[in-house]
Amino acid sequence: MSHQPISPEITYVPEHGGTKRIWKTFWLLTVVTIIELGLGLAIYNIHEGPEPNANLVLFFKGLMCILTLAKAWYIVAVFMHLGDELRSFVLSVVVPLLLLVWFIIAFLWDGDSWRDMKNTNGGSIKTEVVAPAAIEKGAKD
Amino acid sequence: MAQGTIPVGTKWWSGGKSPFNITYGKVMMWFFLISDAFTFSAFLISYGTIRFSANWWPDPNYVFNAFPFMGHANLPLAFVSLMTFILIFSSVTMVLAVHEGHKMNRKGVEKYMILTIIGGAAFLACQAWEWTHMLTGYQDVLVDGKVESWATTISHNPLGPKVMHEGQLIATPGPELFGGFFFGITGFHGFHVFSGVVINIIIYIKTRLGHFDQRGHYEMVEKVGLYWHFVDLVWVFVFLCFYLI
């Protein structure tokens, strides 16, 4: 290959391979996005249907979250070439982002408990308040 | 691979060479992107928190179902999937520009940079259309027993649950924060796309002027490439949180 280290600080230049890998990743991202859209439309049809199955909708939504994480992985590893970097650098990028795991759990948990507090007047009402809208079509899953 | 040529016992942390085998500029771009990732995460998580705390939230399939020049046709997710494919494709042309840069092929870098810029501009145009559609799409909404006409803004949301009023279904005000989060987060992302397009144009001009050939490497293309891919990465999550879930 013609490329040289661009700075004396760089010890070696990793091979990024040909364009084949890039196009393969592109098709992969496209297919995953189409699957996600399919799931989105499935949710739409479930809501349109006679008896919306809340658990199935939740399952599809979880599946979409996992597929999105897979897409993010491929974008970062292949398009951003992080997969070709040294492991020490990969870790210094990825490890701080692990903070997000608890960040997400804690805040969504908090939001959920906030809703409970509002619906039960701070826990003093034992029966769940059902929003009048919840039975309408197109309501929150 | 070149790893084999590194002598055993090389002292990586004693100066003179990059322990991460990356230049300073690229390391700093990555660290900037980490901080930006935290900013976007904070936005999206606050959106999630508010959504979890609400008893009712508009269903994206019913909110985002319009397509330019299609009138009132019900096409859930169609337009936003077009936007997603535009952005994924511009990400591919960007990585191809980086690839041509490794080969020191100026013509190739120019070609792919132009395609990336066009992709970014197309995405911004789509977003402008979508915002206009939201901000001017007036709908009947029942407010305190009277029917009013509202568009979706940061203070009004006509996408609430439907109730019976004088024999027909009519929407009631939905959660106000919907507009705030939608315009805030897609706007912040759109601003990133906009600045990315501007930076790409600058790099394109510098490529044309031969600055990187004089410098002997196309690392600037790699650095803006990282930023551009990050914008695509954020969109993947915005797409999930606002349009799919």
Side-chain angles (χ1 to χ4, degrees):
Chain A
M1 285 298 280
S2 60
H3 55 269
Q4 300 292 318
I6 58 174
S7 147
E9 293 177 1
I10 302 301
T11 314
Y12 72 96
V13 181
E15 289 289 338
H16 294 306
T19 51
K20 214 173 156 189
R21 189 159 161 240
I22 297 168
W23 285 110
K24 223 173 115 184
T25 310
F26 165 70
W27 287 114
L28 208 129
L29 292 175
T30 306
V31 168
V32 172
T33 307
I34 289 170
I35 294 172
E36 282 182 338
L37 289 169
L39 290 173
L41 290 175
I43 291 177
Y44 173 74
N45 284 318
I46 290 170
H47 281 319
E48 288 282 286
E51 282 173 34
N53 183 339
N55 284 333
L56 193 62
V57 169
L58 204 62
F59 172 71
F60 281 172
K61 287 183 176 184
L63 214 55
M64 288 194 286
C65 290
I66 293 165
L67 289 173
T68 294
L69 287 174
K71 279 201 313 195
W73 169 275
Y74 278 102
I75 290 171
V76 174
V78 179
F79 285 178
M80 295 170 92
H81 296 308
L82 190 62
D84 302 327
E85 306 292 0
L86 288 184
R87 173 164 296 184
S88 55
F89 186 68
V90 177
L91 290 179
S92 39
V93 171
V94 173
V95 170
L97 293 177
L98 290 179
L99 283 170
L100 290 175
V101 176
W102 179 244
F103 193 11
I104 291 168
I105 295 171
F107 273 77
L108 295 189
W109 197 338
D110 200 44
D112 198 49
S113 113
W114 186 8
R115 186 187 55 197
D116 275 354
M117 299 283 264
K118 284 194 293 192
N119 287 345
T120 58
N121 196 15
S124 61
I125 303 169
K126 285 284 172 264
T127 49
E128 181 120 347
V129 176
V130 178
I135 45 168
E136 297 290 346
K137 197 199 266 184
K140 187 177 184 266
D141 56 274
Chain B
M1 280 295 279
Q3 274 104 330
T5 62
I6 299 170
V8 178
T10 301
K11 286 193 167 54
W12 289 98
W13 296 90
S14 54
K17 50 172 91 66
S18 164
F20 291 148
N21 197 46
I22 315 182
T23 54
Y24 173 78
K26 241 164 105 178
V27 175
M28 286 303 124
M29 178 51 95
W30 270 107
F31 287 170
F32 162 68
L33 294 182
I34 293 174
S35 72
D36 222 14
F38 276 116
T39 310
F40 271 109
S41 308
F43 282 156
L44 286 173
I45 292 167
S46 62
Y47 160 74
T49 309
I50 294 301
R51 204 174 146 168
F52 266 61
S53 76
N55 278 320
W56 199 88
W57 201 262
D59 187 324
N61 278 315
Y62 296 87
V63 181
F64 307 104
N65 64 352
F67 202 88
F69 311 116
M70 299 297 260
H72 291 285
N74 180 27
L75 298 163
L77 294 176
F79 191 56
V80 73
S81 45
L82 175 71
M83 287 167 79
T84 305
F85 287 125
I86 287 172
L87 211 54
I88 290 179
F89 196 74
S90 83
S91 215
V92 173
T93 55
M94 186 77 233
V95 76
L96 289 171
V98 172
H99 187 79
E100 296 297 327
H102 284 149
K103 293 196 292 190
M104 299 294 290
N105 177 6
R106 185 162 69 97
K107 281 272 168 264
V109 175
E110 281 177 19
K111 183 177 97 184
Y112 287 120
M113 286 305 287
I114 274 286
L115 288 173
T116 309
I117 292 164
I118 291 171
F123 179 85
L124 285 173
C126 289
Q127 200 163 40
W129 183 87
E130 190 177 45
W131 274 39
T132 311
H133 182 79
M134 295 277 280
L135 290 165
T136 58
Y138 288 95
Q139 294 179 35
D140 288 341
V141 54
L142 188 69
V143 189
D144 296 332
K146 274 187 290 194
V147 177
E148 289 183 20
S149 191
W150 281 10
T152 312
T153 67
I154 54 168
S155 59
H156 290 73
N157 181 358
L159 308 165
K162 287 190 161 74
V163 293
M164 290 302 283
H165 176 69
E166 289 172 358
Q168 51 186 331
L169 277 176
I170 186 166
T172 54
E176 275 169 27
L177 286 165
F178 176 81
F181 278 116
F182 177 76
F183 291 114
I185 294 175
T186 60
F188 197 62
H189 174 263
F191 183 69
H192 274 74
V193 178
F194 174 73
S195 53
V197 169
V198 170
I199 297 166
N200 281 347
I201 290 170
I202 293 168
I203 295 301
Y204 170 72
I205 292 168
K206 282 177 78 72
T207 310
R208 276 209 80 123
L209 294 175
H211 286 181
F212 303 128
D213 284 331
Q214 287 161 25
R215 209 177 278 181
H217 60 80
Y218 277 77
E219 211 204 23
M220 279 311 285
V221 179
E222 274 184 66
K223 281 182 240 174
V224 299
L226 285 177
Y227 182 71
W228 190 253
H229 295 311
F230 176 75
V231 168
D232 182 32
L233 182 68
V234 170
W235 179 254
V236 164
F237 286 97
V238 171
F239 177 59
L240 174 78
C241 296
F242 279 100
Y243 299 96
L244 287 178
I245 291 187

